[in-house]
Amino acid sequence: MTLARRRFDALIIGAGGAGLNAALQLANANLRVAVVSKVFPTRSHTVAAQGGVNAALANVFEDNWHWHMFDTVKGSDYLGDQDAIEYMCREAIPTVYELEHNGVPFSRLDNGKIYQRAFGGQSQNFGGAQAARTCAAADRTGHAILHTLYQQNIRARTHFFDEYFGVELIRDSEGAILGALTLEIETGEPLLIEAKTTLLATGGCGQVFRTTSNAHINTGDGMAMALRAGVPLMDMEFFQFHPTGIAGRGMLITEGVRGEGGYLVNKDGERFMERYAPNAKDLASRDVVARAIVTEVKEGRGCGPNADHVLLKVDHLGEDIIAKRLPGIRESSKIFAGVDPAVEPIPVFPTAHYVMGGIPTDRLGHVVVPASDGSEQIVPGLYAAGECACVSVHGANRLGGNSLLDILVFGRAAGQQIIDHLKDDPEHKTMDETAVEQAVARLTRWEQPGEGISVRELRDEFRKVMEDHAGVFRTDDIMSEGVAKVKALREKLKDVRLGDQSKVFNTARIEALELENLIDIGMAIVLSALERKESRGAHSRPDYTERDDANWLKHSVYFKEGDRLDYKPVQTKPLTVDTFPPKPRVY
């Protein structure tokens, strides 16, 4: 096969907020940067982020980054690395102002300052009164940010490879990443992109579950590419189920609805969150609210003919407030739930939303792997940022408004770090042709003729297994069965065949490659969850009901080879302030 090749200073796989913010730093530094995206960039999943981005601007109430840091550490159930959390909360303020200067149309207060709304888990004065910290552009904040970053990248002449699929990282015998093999979806032709540095910014993996708020593109491609290149995934057992997905559909109803004054009720009309979180109530942390909703339904207080959801009331806010601050939610509710929230409540139930784990990185975006002496080694030439990465600032549970912040702060940091690296190491390494051949073999595997299992059949079976065995509540028996079933499905993958062997716009082949990625990530999730014998954050085990700091205040690390698990310590020492020691997490 004659393989087309291109060369760039930097390759970024993924065109969401993390990828585009990194690309903007690089392009503005006059570096040749390629951005590979399997969809048109403004269709990346960042566009779906609704509620806002956290920064202690103090535009509504008194605030500072140290309070934001405390809330994030507490929200993480003390599994977050406190040096990275301090860095993110400090950098939040200049990051939001930079976005504003780049043209993000934030909603405004009457005094002209950026509008900030209340969000779950956010407090003043280290757990005191409710904070208003979440900077918003109505309920389409991700949309506003993504479009602005894309426009700025066009101005800076970033080179985009739209509708190209990242197939495999190219790694030489010394472990350095030399670029990636990609596939042009339109023509079905592979393209090798050689790069001095490669940044993975491919987003989350919510499509491992049957009911999810994530787009169809969220198949964890970057995480799986890293796994196959020998890089482990960290803390994959911690998967956030957003408490308010549209019941039976999974589409997201932003936490901003509750931040604006919406509240949850059961079939008796009771505001049940007052029983589960007496102080924060409906603005408790997401894992707390999700478990409360599932408990209400399990105990027979669910709503509807099947008693399988609860209701989110917002009609009391008035049509004017809803039209001004929650227009997208009103539209989504009408389309997907058949209700107008200005008149009647929205049926909601938890939906798979966000993975706290991912590719392990330091706070500058370098991908790091555990070394035999207990230290960490940087993978030469490889960076990661955004939801596919694990810094770890979210620990066991992410606070709302911190995801947009994560992708923007660490995308920017990775871009700046790549610039510094290329000043010291400006040359391309020699391409490893053996590694290229192995990458191409992943494509040619799908050219096998004959009858077999269909991609859709195996994918549907896999996603149901994940939903049944790695959901909101987990036990040893349920997860042990889940591990066995995922292993069996991984074996069946060998028997999957494509009925359509054409090349031009063959989305069936893309779905097959995505399925491989999903199954690898599913194994990381269920195995890591099975082995963590405690309840912490989003990982809730009725058979181990308490958090166990003595034995489990550590990060889990999953390697694909041999399905091996390892562990590494949590960084409890911040950069400049005192440690926040673990305490009971109550709201």
Side-chain angles (χ1 to χ4, degrees), residues 26 29 31 197 364 366 383 413-426:
L26 296 163
L31 294 171
T197 55
L364 299 177
H366 299 107
Y383 299 77
Q416 292 171 341
Q417 190 63 25
I418 289 170
I419 292 168
D420 292 342
H421 169 76
L422 291 177
K423 288 176 183 175
D424 299 329
D425 191 7

PDB file of all heavy atoms in Angstrom, residues 26 29 31 197 364 366 383 413-426:
ATOM      1  N   LEU A  26      -0.683  27.256  19.659  1.00  0.00           N
ATOM      2  CA  LEU A  26       0.368  26.826  18.730  1.00  0.00           C
ATOM      3  C   LEU A  26       0.358  27.644  17.444  1.00  0.00           C
ATOM      4  O   LEU A  26       1.405  28.079  16.949  1.00  0.00           O
ATOM      5  CB  LEU A  26       0.186  25.340  18.414  1.00  0.00           C
ATOM      6  CG  LEU A  26       0.351  24.390  19.607  1.00  0.00           C
ATOM      7  CD1 LEU A  26      -0.231  23.031  19.298  1.00  0.00           C
ATOM      8  CD2 LEU A  26       1.817  24.266  19.993  1.00  0.00           C
ATOM      9  N   ALA A  29       1.741  30.984  17.769  1.00  0.00           N
ATOM     10  CA  ALA A  29       3.199  30.956  17.901  1.00  0.00           C
ATOM     11  C   ALA A  29       3.872  30.618  16.570  1.00  0.00           C
ATOM     12  O   ALA A  29       5.075  30.327  16.534  1.00  0.00           O
ATOM     13  CB  ALA A  29       3.603  29.931  18.962  1.00  0.00           C
ATOM     14  N   LEU A  31       3.574  28.019  14.644  1.00  0.00           N
ATOM     15  CA  LEU A  31       3.925  26.616  14.431  1.00  0.00           C
ATOM     16  C   LEU A  31       2.939  25.985  13.465  1.00  0.00           C
ATOM     17  O   LEU A  31       1.777  26.404  13.360  1.00  0.00           O
ATOM     18  CB  LEU A  31       3.900  25.861  15.763  1.00  0.00           C
ATOM     19  CG  LEU A  31       4.966  26.278  16.779  1.00  0.00           C
ATOM     20  CD1 LEU A  31       4.703  25.636  18.125  1.00  0.00           C
ATOM     21  CD2 LEU A  31       6.361  25.908  16.285  1.00  0.00           C
ATOM     22  N   THR A 197       5.179  16.456  18.031  1.00  0.00           N
ATOM     23  CA  THR A 197       4.390  16.285  19.253  1.00  0.00           C
ATOM     24  C   THR A 197       2.958  15.933  18.861  1.00  0.00           C
ATOM     25  O   THR A 197       2.449  16.420  17.852  1.00  0.00           O
ATOM     26  CB  THR A 197       4.368  17.565  20.109  1.00  0.00           C
ATOM     27  OG1 THR A 197       3.913  18.648  19.305  1.00  0.00           O
ATOM     28  CG2 THR A 197       5.744  17.880  20.663  1.00  0.00           C
ATOM     29  N   LEU A 364       0.722  19.963  33.176  1.00  0.00           N
ATOM     30  CA  LEU A 364       1.175  20.667  31.967  1.00  0.00           C
ATOM     31  C   LEU A 364       0.786  19.922  30.699  1.00  0.00           C
ATOM     32  O   LEU A 364       1.137  20.344  29.609  1.00  0.00           O
ATOM     33  CB  LEU A 364       2.695  20.866  32.025  1.00  0.00           C
ATOM     34  CG  LEU A 364       3.195  21.698  33.217  1.00  0.00           C
ATOM     35  CD1 LEU A 364       4.717  21.774  33.224  1.00  0.00           C
ATOM     36  CD2 LEU A 364       2.593  23.092  33.204  1.00  0.00           C
ATOM     37  N   HIS A 366       1.618  16.695  29.842  1.00  0.00           N
ATOM     38  CA  HIS A 366       2.430  15.529  29.485  1.00  0.00           C
ATOM     39  C   HIS A 366       1.712  14.248  29.897  1.00  0.00           C
ATOM     40  O   HIS A 366       1.215  14.154  31.020  1.00  0.00           O
ATOM     41  CB  HIS A 366       3.784  15.533  30.210  1.00  0.00           C
ATOM     42  CG  HIS A 366       4.663  16.698  29.909  1.00  0.00           C
ATOM     43  ND1 HIS A 366       4.889  17.715  30.802  1.00  0.00           N
ATOM     44  CD2 HIS A 366       5.370  17.011  28.787  1.00  0.00           C
ATOM     45  CE1 HIS A 366       5.719  18.594  30.275  1.00  0.00           C
ATOM     46  NE2 HIS A 366       6.016  18.202  29.053  1.00  0.00           N
ATOM     47  N   TYR A 383       0.928  14.157  24.535  1.00  0.00           N
ATOM     48  CA  TYR A 383       0.199  15.005  25.481  1.00  0.00           C
ATOM     49  C   TYR A 383      -1.280  14.623  25.416  1.00  0.00           C
ATOM     50  O   TYR A 383      -1.742  14.031  24.441  1.00  0.00           O
ATOM     51  CB  TYR A 383       0.350  16.489  25.105  1.00  0.00           C
ATOM     52  CG  TYR A 383       1.782  16.987  25.115  1.00  0.00           C
ATOM     53  CD1 TYR A 383       2.655  16.672  24.070  1.00  0.00           C
ATOM     54  CD2 TYR A 383       2.258  17.767  26.164  1.00  0.00           C
ATOM     55  CE1 TYR A 383       3.974  17.114  24.078  1.00  0.00           C
ATOM     56  CE2 TYR A 383       3.572  18.217  26.176  1.00  0.00           C
ATOM     57  CZ  TYR A 383       4.425  17.892  25.138  1.00  0.00           C
ATOM     58  OH  TYR A 383       5.730  18.332  25.144  1.00  0.00           O
ATOM     59  N   ALA A 413      -2.681  24.956  28.652  1.00  0.00           N
ATOM     60  CA  ALA A 413      -1.397  24.606  29.267  1.00  0.00           C
ATOM     61  C   ALA A 413      -0.598  23.650  28.385  1.00  0.00           C
ATOM     62  O   ALA A 413       0.622  23.800  28.216  1.00  0.00           O
ATOM     63  CB  ALA A 413      -1.634  23.973  30.640  1.00  0.00           C
ATOM     64  N   ALA A 414      -1.294  22.661  27.783  1.00  0.00           N
ATOM     65  CA  ALA A 414      -0.607  21.707  26.904  1.00  0.00           C
ATOM     66  C   ALA A 414      -0.045  22.425  25.678  1.00  0.00           C
ATOM     67  O   ALA A 414       1.086  22.141  25.252  1.00  0.00           O
ATOM     68  CB  ALA A 414      -1.567  20.598  26.482  1.00  0.00           C
ATOM     69  N   GLY A 415      -0.820  23.332  25.104  1.00  0.00           N
ATOM     70  CA  GLY A 415      -0.329  24.082  23.954  1.00  0.00           C
ATOM     71  C   GLY A 415       0.925  24.871  24.286  1.00  0.00           C
ATOM     72  O   GLY A 415       1.913  24.865  23.524  1.00  0.00           O
ATOM     73  N   GLN A 416       0.914  25.545  25.427  1.00  0.00           N
ATOM     74  CA  GLN A 416       2.081  26.336  25.822  1.00  0.00           C
ATOM     75  C   GLN A 416       3.282  25.441  26.114  1.00  0.00           C
ATOM     76  O   GLN A 416       4.424  25.796  25.808  1.00  0.00           O
ATOM     77  CB  GLN A 416       1.722  27.189  27.039  1.00  0.00           C
ATOM     78  CG  GLN A 416       0.705  28.281  26.718  1.00  0.00           C
ATOM     79  CD  GLN A 416       0.174  28.999  27.944  1.00  0.00           C
ATOM     80  OE1 GLN A 416       0.271  28.490  29.061  1.00  0.00           O
ATOM     81  NE2 GLN A 416      -0.398  30.179  27.747  1.00  0.00           N
ATOM     82  N   GLN A 417       3.025  24.260  26.680  1.00  0.00           N
ATOM     83  CA  GLN A 417       4.120  23.337  26.973  1.00  0.00           C
ATOM     84  C   GLN A 417       4.734  22.793  25.679  1.00  0.00           C
ATOM     85  O   GLN A 417       5.952  22.620  25.590  1.00  0.00           O
ATOM     86  CB  GLN A 417       3.599  22.186  27.837  1.00  0.00           C
ATOM     87  CG  GLN A 417       4.685  21.289  28.411  1.00  0.00           C
ATOM     88  CD  GLN A 417       5.611  22.031  29.350  1.00  0.00           C
ATOM     89  OE1 GLN A 417       5.237  23.033  29.941  1.00  0.00           O
ATOM     90  NE2 GLN A 417       6.836  21.554  29.491  1.00  0.00           N
ATOM     91  N   ILE A 418       3.893  22.515  24.684  1.00  0.00           N
ATOM     92  CA  ILE A 418       4.398  22.045  23.385  1.00  0.00           C
ATOM     93  C   ILE A 418       5.280  23.118  22.740  1.00  0.00           C
ATOM     94  O   ILE A 418       6.330  22.807  22.159  1.00  0.00           O
ATOM     95  CB  ILE A 418       3.223  21.649  22.474  1.00  0.00           C
ATOM     96  CG1 ILE A 418       2.567  20.359  22.990  1.00  0.00           C
ATOM     97  CG2 ILE A 418       3.687  21.459  21.030  1.00  0.00           C
ATOM     98  CD1 ILE A 418       1.265  20.006  22.305  1.00  0.00           C
ATOM     99  N   ILE A 419       4.869  24.366  22.844  1.00  0.00           N
ATOM    100  CA  ILE A 419       5.676  25.466  22.299  1.00  0.00           C
ATOM    101  C   ILE A 419       7.061  25.457  22.941  1.00  0.00           C
ATOM    102  O   ILE A 419       8.084  25.540  22.247  1.00  0.00           O
ATOM    103  CB  ILE A 419       4.974  26.817  22.536  1.00  0.00           C
ATOM    104  CG1 ILE A 419       3.697  26.909  21.695  1.00  0.00           C
ATOM    105  CG2 ILE A 419       5.909  27.985  22.201  1.00  0.00           C
ATOM    106  CD1 ILE A 419       2.796  28.072  22.065  1.00  0.00           C
ATOM    107  N   ASP A 420       7.107  25.342  24.271  1.00  0.00           N
ATOM    108  CA  ASP A 420       8.406  25.324  24.970  1.00  0.00           C
ATOM    109  C   ASP A 420       9.237  24.116  24.560  1.00  0.00           C
ATOM    110  O   ASP A 420      10.460  24.229  24.371  1.00  0.00           O
ATOM    111  CB  ASP A 420       8.177  25.305  26.488  1.00  0.00           C
ATOM    112  CG  ASP A 420       7.583  26.610  27.008  1.00  0.00           C
ATOM    113  OD1 ASP A 420       7.670  27.629  26.291  1.00  0.00           O
ATOM    114  OD2 ASP A 420       7.014  26.604  28.118  1.00  0.00           O
ATOM    115  N   HIS A 421       8.571  22.955  24.426  1.00  0.00           N
ATOM    116  CA  HIS A 421       9.294  21.736  24.042  1.00  0.00           C
ATOM    117  C   HIS A 421       9.924  21.878  22.659  1.00  0.00           C
ATOM    118  O   HIS A 421      11.080  21.474  22.447  1.00  0.00           O
ATOM    119  CB  HIS A 421       8.335  20.543  24.062  1.00  0.00           C
ATOM    120  CG  HIS A 421       8.891  19.307  23.434  1.00  0.00           C
ATOM    121  ND1 HIS A 421       9.829  18.501  24.048  1.00  0.00           N
ATOM    122  CD2 HIS A 421       8.663  18.747  22.209  1.00  0.00           C
ATOM    123  CE1 HIS A 421      10.151  17.503  23.253  1.00  0.00           C
ATOM    124  NE2 HIS A 421       9.457  17.614  22.137  1.00  0.00           N
ATOM    125  N   LEU A 422       9.185  22.445  21.713  1.00  0.00           N
ATOM    126  CA  LEU A 422       9.679  22.537  20.341  1.00  0.00           C
ATOM    127  C   LEU A 422      10.811  23.546  20.193  1.00  0.00           C
ATOM    128  O   LEU A 422      11.590  23.472  19.235  1.00  0.00           O
ATOM    129  CB  LEU A 422       8.530  22.869  19.389  1.00  0.00           C
ATOM    130  CG  LEU A 422       7.492  21.744  19.215  1.00  0.00           C
ATOM    131  CD1 LEU A 422       6.349  22.190  18.317  1.00  0.00           C
ATOM    132  CD2 LEU A 422       8.139  20.473  18.676  1.00  0.00           C
ATOM    133  N   LYS A 423      10.925  24.474  21.135  1.00  0.00           N
ATOM    134  CA  LYS A 423      12.080  25.374  21.122  1.00  0.00           C
ATOM    135  C   LYS A 423      13.364  24.602  21.396  1.00  0.00           C
ATOM    136  O   LYS A 423      14.422  24.893  20.823  1.00  0.00           O
ATOM    137  CB  LYS A 423      11.901  26.466  22.176  1.00  0.00           C
ATOM    138  CG  LYS A 423      10.842  27.501  21.839  1.00  0.00           C
ATOM    139  CD  LYS A 423      10.665  28.489  22.996  1.00  0.00           C
ATOM    140  CE  LYS A 423       9.552  29.476  22.707  1.00  0.00           C
ATOM    141  NZ  LYS A 423       9.283  30.361  23.884  1.00  0.00           N
ATOM    142  N   ASP A 424      13.265  23.596  22.274  1.00  0.00           N
ATOM    143  CA  ASP A 424      14.447  22.814  22.670  1.00  0.00           C
ATOM    144  C   ASP A 424      14.676  21.602  21.772  1.00  0.00           C
ATOM    145  O   ASP A 424      15.801  21.101  21.684  1.00  0.00           O
ATOM    146  CB  ASP A 424      14.293  22.333  24.115  1.00  0.00           C
ATOM    147  CG  ASP A 424      14.168  23.484  25.105  1.00  0.00           C
ATOM    148  OD1 ASP A 424      14.755  24.548  24.829  1.00  0.00           O
ATOM    149  OD2 ASP A 424      13.480  23.314  26.129  1.00  0.00           O
ATOM    150  N   ASP A 425      13.626  21.110  21.131  1.00  0.00           N
ATOM    151  CA  ASP A 425      13.737  19.881  20.341  1.00  0.00           C
ATOM    152  C   ASP A 425      12.969  20.060  19.030  1.00  0.00           C
ATOM    153  O   ASP A 425      11.878  19.517  18.852  1.00  0.00           O
ATOM    154  CB  ASP A 425      13.174  18.708  21.148  1.00  0.00           C
ATOM    155  CG  ASP A 425      13.488  17.361  20.512  1.00  0.00           C
ATOM    156  OD1 ASP A 425      14.249  17.337  19.515  1.00  0.00           O
ATOM    157  OD2 ASP A 425      12.963  16.330  20.982  1.00  0.00           O
ATOM    158  N   PRO A 426      13.531  20.812  18.084  1.00  0.00           N
ATOM    159  CA  PRO A 426      12.770  21.223  16.890  1.00  0.00           C
ATOM    160  C   PRO A 426      12.774  20.228  15.736  1.00  0.00           C
ATOM    161  O   PRO A 426      12.182  20.498  14.692  1.00  0.00           O
ATOM    162  CB  PRO A 426      13.492  22.510  16.474  1.00  0.00           C
ATOM    163  CG  PRO A 426      14.911  22.285  16.900  1.00  0.00           C
ATOM    164  CD  PRO A 426      14.863  21.444  18.137  1.00  0.00           C
TER     165      PRO A 426
END
